[in-house]
Amino acid sequence: MTLKKLSSFKMNDLPIRYKIIALLLVISILPSIGMGSLVSIAVDKIIEKQATEHTLQLIGQANRSLESYIENMQDSSYIISFSPQMNDFLNEGMDQSINNQYQMKQFLQGFTTVNPEIAGILVINNRGEYISNELYAKNMKLLSEEKWYKEAIANNGIFEIIGHPKNRSIKSHVNYEESDIVSGVRAILDPETQNVMGVILIDLKLRVISEIVEDIRLGKNGYLMVIDDEGEVIYSPEESLVNEVRPKWFERGSSGAFLKNIDGESIQFIYKKSPFSNWTTIGVFSTNESVMEIQQINFYVISFIFVVCAFGIGASYYLSHSMARPINQLNVFMNQVEAGDLSIRYQGVRKDEIGMLGRSFNNMLEHINKLISLIEIQGRKKREAELRVLQSHIKPHFLYNTLDTINWLARKKGALDVSDLVESLSQLFRIGLSKGNDIILLENEIEHIESYLKIQKARYKDKLKYNISIDSNLLHISVTKLVLQPIVENAIYHGIKERRGPGHIKIIGKKHGENLVLFVNDDGVGIPKERLDKLNESLSVSFDSLEETKKITNIGYGVMNVQARIKLTYGESYGLYIESIEGKGTTVKIVLPLK
């Protein structure tokens, strides 16, 4: 009988309270005792080795980050030297058009825009003429006579970091101090004669070095500092443990560690030199701090073991009870809801996952009640809408018959232009209504916009010209109706109408991957940049219903209606995209799925 009971016992059959108690005992108390004992034995031997290795890893990471910035400066110098415009400047000097000079400055500005760590770039030819995006000469002294220029020439076309600038006749629009930047130079050589054509000077913001190094802390007071191959300090924190670092301390190799007694305190130095930049990154911290940390770790480990053993069992019982009781309460509530009582509510004030589950349970019941009410309201509205649709069917037939009568009378009287206009209007209404269908063929959409343009052409005469170019293979594609008319209307009233002379609207449709792309292009007055940004911001919002378009007032309702219908029909990947240049025109791209 006992064996049968044991064989039928399953862990999953236990109440959740006992499972939690067992889990806490297994995964907290026993492993904590074992782990704490092992840590206490091994910590004294391991921590010193780990501290050194960790510091070297941090220094290596810092060096790699610094090298990436310097390598980026070097790459930028090569890209600039290969630029045809820069070669023209180096050969011809400033005897170029103002437009070419502006383009070169914009070209240099592109590097500081893409690489914000670059403070400025200056290119100088062998005649002393220079061009820059951010830098300028402070006086009439030739820049080609300065030390940095001569150092670049002496390095024979190889990029070199020369450290902080000193006493140079160059200022920056941002007014950087000499201590705020690090400079790199490279001479540009003629590939055939190897003569010096000029020099590129690039300033690197020191803050990118400080951002890499200053956040790396070694213990409480330890830090990293960077020096160059001549011992000049590239970066050091304001509060440092040592006042002077001598280059000969680091001549033992490219990396290493040593102790120095400075002002009666034992200081640990761990360093590693970057072969690319010739900079040495040094970790500095007090050895007394390491000893204190070891003692603190041993104390914490032992205290942790006692705390876990003393309170583990009590905490497991308390936690299991606090978790199991509200779960059981929720289970009772759910049984009552299952029986049909939707008025029951969870009343707890807990802020943990169980409290969140209880509030979600309440929200679920609220939503169920709202959905029940909504279904009743929607059923009523559906019946009313069906009645209104039946009543509205009379109006389109009457409208078509009236327009046909006007068309017949116009032709009978010989007023062919009036007849064509009425026929276009009839076609516009027919396709616009589409028997209540929201999806029509692209061919019908094009017929609709052609009818609209014919009507506008009759109004504006030679002021309006248009051209429609649609791939014939796409005409059978189904699209949301009336996506072109609001866009074309905006192009006419806000673009063509406001410009001087005749305007031209182009409608182009083509396949792009798995999408149908329609372009509406006009050569009107365009849209100011501030207005264009607001338009695109409004178009990027998400829509839950077409009613939300009425709440948006900073863009035309027609355009927002088109955007909302496309996104609600096909998804957020599709819709309208507007590009415009003030004074030149506007292009609206409409992206729809092919399927």
Side-chain angles (χ1 to χ4, degrees):
M1 186 70 176
T2 304
L3 291 175
K4 185 176 180 181
K5 289 182 178 180
L6 290 175
S7 62
S8 62
F9 173 78
K10 294 182 180 179
M11 186 66 180
N12 290 336
D13 295 335
L14 285 175
I16 190 170
R17 180 180 179 183
Y18 299 134
K19 293 178 184 177
I20 295 173
I21 292 174
L23 179 64
L24 290 174
L25 290 175
V26 171
I27 69 174
S28 62
I29 296 179
L30 295 180
S32 297
I33 294 174
M35 182 182 67
S37 301
L38 292 176
V39 170
S40 298
I41 296 172
V43 69
D44 293 339
K45 297 180 180 179
I46 295 175
I47 193 168
E48 183 176 353
K49 180 181 178 181
Q50 287 183 339
T52 302
E53 292 178 351
H54 179 65
T55 303
L56 285 173
Q57 289 177 359
L58 294 176
I59 292 174
Q61 293 173 2
N63 281 346
R64 285 191 293 272
S65 298
L66 294 174
E67 287 171 358
S68 69
Y69 284 115
I70 297 173
E71 185 176 0
N72 192 33
M73 293 171 64
Q74 177 179 267
D75 293 343
S76 298
S77 71
Y78 282 109
I79 293 173
I80 294 171
S81 66
F82 290 137
S83 168
Q85 294 175 324
M86 286 300 171
N87 275 279
D88 292 341
F89 164 73
L90 295 173
N91 290 322
E92 302 174 11
M94 300 302 288
D95 298 332
Q96 303 180 72
S97 67
I98 295 177
N99 185 49
N100 287 341
Q101 294 180 32
Y102 175 77
Q103 290 179 352
M104 286 189 290
K105 289 184 179 181
Q106 289 296 104
F107 175 67
L108 295 179
Q109 185 67 40
F111 287 91
T112 56
T113 301
V114 176
N115 306 295
E117 70 273 7
I118 295 179
I121 302 174
L122 183 141
V123 181
I124 180 173
N125 61 22
N126 53 19
R127 291 185 293 279
E129 299 172 329
Y130 71 90
I131 190 165
S132 173
N133 61 330
E134 294 286 350
L135 307 175
Y136 61 93
K138 292 190 294 186
N139 50 49
M140 299 302 293
K141 179 182 177 182
L142 284 176
L143 297 181
S144 57
E145 297 178 0
E146 296 207 344
K147 181 180 177 182
W148 59 268
Y149 184 92
K150 296 176 181 179
E151 287 184 9
I153 294 175
N155 216 31
N156 200 25
I158 299 175
F159 185 82
E160 179 185 14
I161 295 293
I162 59 175
H164 296 298
K166 295 180 180 178
N167 302 320
R168 69 181 186 183
S169 300
I170 296 176
K171 288 286 288 183
S172 169
H173 291 297
V174 185
N175 227 0
Y176 289 111
E177 299 292 336
E178 293 181 348
S179 59
D180 294 334
I181 55 176
V182 177
S183 298
V185 293
R186 188 176 79 84
I188 304 175
L189 305 180
D190 189 306
E192 296 181 357
T193 65
Q194 293 299 302
N195 292 329
V196 176
M197 301 171 63
V199 169
I200 299 175
L201 170 70
I202 301 178
D203 286 344
L204 178 68
K205 298 175 185 176
L206 188 63
R207 67 172 177 80
V208 301
I209 299 176
S210 63
E211 286 173 357
I212 295 172
V213 177
E214 69 182 357
D215 291 335
I216 300 177
R217 308 300 298 180
L218 308 178
K220 294 181 178 179
N221 301 315
Y223 56 87
L224 294 184
M225 62 182 299
V226 182
I227 64 173
D228 62 14
D229 53 350
E230 296 180 357
E232 180 183 2
V233 176
I234 302 297
Y235 169 79
S236 178
E238 295 181 359
E239 298 181 2
S240 58
L241 299 174
V242 293
N243 297 324
E244 181 184 5
V245 176
R246 299 177 182 177
K248 65 179 182 179
W249 293 353
F250 310 100
E251 294 177 350
R252 303 175 186 177
S254 60
S255 64
F258 59 89
L259 290 173
K260 284 284 182 182
N261 194 308
I262 300 176
D263 296 332
E265 185 176 4
S266 180
I267 303 297
Q268 176 79 46
F269 292 87
I270 302 175
Y271 68 93
K272 190 171 185 179
K273 186 173 183 179
S274 168
F276 182 73
S277 63
N278 286 328
W279 288 354
T280 301
T281 305
I282 309 165
V284 184
F285 58 91
S286 173
T287 56
N288 294 333
E289 187 174 310
S290 300
V291 173
M292 293 178 61
E293 287 181 352
I294 293 173
Q295 293 175 349
Q296 288 179 350
I297 291 175
N298 288 333
F299 173 77
Y300 291 149
V301 169
I302 295 172
S303 300
F304 173 75
I305 293 174
F306 278 108
V307 168
V308 170
C309 292
F311 296 100
I313 297 176
S316 64
Y317 274 99
Y318 173 78
L319 290 174
S320 64
H321 176 73
S322 67
M323 294 174 67
R325 184 177 58 81
I327 292 175
N328 292 331
Q329 186 182 25
L330 279 174
N331 185 43
V332 172
F333 289 163
M334 289 181 182
N335 290 334
Q336 292 178 347
V337 172
E338 187 178 12
D341 183 5
L342 298 180
S343 63
I344 195 72
R345 294 293 182 272
Y346 173 77
Q347 301 297 331
V349 294
R350 300 170 63 108
K351 296 183 179 180
D352 59 3
E353 288 80 358
I354 297 175
M356 294 170 61
L357 181 62
R359 287 185 287 275
S360 297
F361 173 78
N362 292 344
N363 291 335
M364 179 190 69
L365 292 179
E366 293 290 342
H367 284 302
I368 290 175
N369 288 328
K370 288 180 181 178
L371 287 173
I372 292 174
S373 300
L374 182 61
I375 290 172
E376 295 175 354
I377 295 172
Q378 287 178 340
R380 229 173 19 248
K381 288 186 176 181
K382 182 179 179 182
R383 289 190 295 271
E384 294 173 358
E386 289 172 350
L387 180 59
R388 287 196 299 269
V389 169
L390 291 174
Q391 293 172 346
S392 66
H393 282 174
I394 302 171
K395 297 178 182 179
H397 291 292
F398 175 75
L399 178 62
Y400 297 151
N401 291 336
T402 303
L403 291 174
D404 286 339
T405 301
I406 296 172
N407 184 23
W408 177 79
L409 290 173
R411 289 188 178 276
K412 183 177 180 182
K413 298 292 184 179
L416 298 180
D417 53 347
V418 176
S419 174
D420 292 339
L421 194 62
V422 171
E423 185 177 356
S424 296
L425 182 61
S426 177
Q427 182 79 346
L428 188 74
F429 284 143
R430 181 182 63 82
I431 298 175
L433 293 172
S434 301
K435 299 180 180 180
N437 296 325
D438 292 327
I439 304 297
I440 62 175
L441 294 179
L442 178 60
E443 180 179 13
N444 294 332
E445 179 70 10
I446 298 303
E447 290 178 10
H448 179 267
I449 200 60
E450 281 182 326
S451 299
Y452 177 77
L453 285 168
K454 286 179 182 179
I455 295 172
Q456 294 293 348
K457 178 70 173 176
R459 175 185 178 186
Y460 289 100
K461 304 296 181 183
D462 294 336
K463 174 74 174 178
L464 173 63
K465 297 179 181 180
Y466 64 89
N467 180 42
I468 300 177
S469 176
I470 304 293
D471 187 345
S472 59
N473 295 327
L474 301 175
L475 295 177
H476 66 283
I477 299 298
S478 295
V479 298
T480 301
K481 72 177 181 181
L482 300 183
V483 295
L484 289 173
Q485 187 272 333
I487 311 302
V488 174
E489 181 179 349
N490 277 357
I492 293 173
Y493 287 103
H494 301 294
I496 303 300
K497 184 179 179 181
E498 300 297 331
R499 66 164 282 161
R500 291 185 178 180
H504 195 177
I505 293 178
K506 296 180 182 178
I507 300 175
I508 301 171
K510 58 185 178 180
K511 176 182 177 182
H512 186 272
E514 295 298 323
N515 294 331
L516 166 64
V517 182
L518 300 174
F519 295 92
V520 178
N521 174 266
D522 69 78
D523 55 0
V525 296
I527 305 173
K529 186 178 184 306
E530 182 179 353
R531 172 65 174 168
L532 180 63
D533 292 339
K534 291 182 179 179
L535 292 178
N536 286 319
E537 181 181 356
S538 298
L539 288 172
S540 64
V541 301
S542 298
F543 301 95
D544 294 328
S545 69
L546 286 174
E547 292 297 323
E548 293 186 3
T549 61
K550 298 178 181 178
K551 302 176 184 178
I552 299 176
T553 59
N554 60 344
I555 185 174
Y557 174 71
V559 176
M560 287 305 300
N561 184 276
V562 172
Q563 179 78 329
R565 287 190 291 115
I566 291 176
K567 287 184 177 291
L568 290 172
T569 303
Y570 303 117
E572 293 294 328
S573 301
Y574 305 95
L576 306 182
Y577 303 89
I578 301 177
E579 296 178 358
S580 182
I581 300 176
E582 190 171 4
K584 293 186 178 181
T586 302
T587 299
V588 179
K589 182 171 72 172
I590 306 170
V591 182
L592 302 171
L594 284 175
K595 298 181 180 179

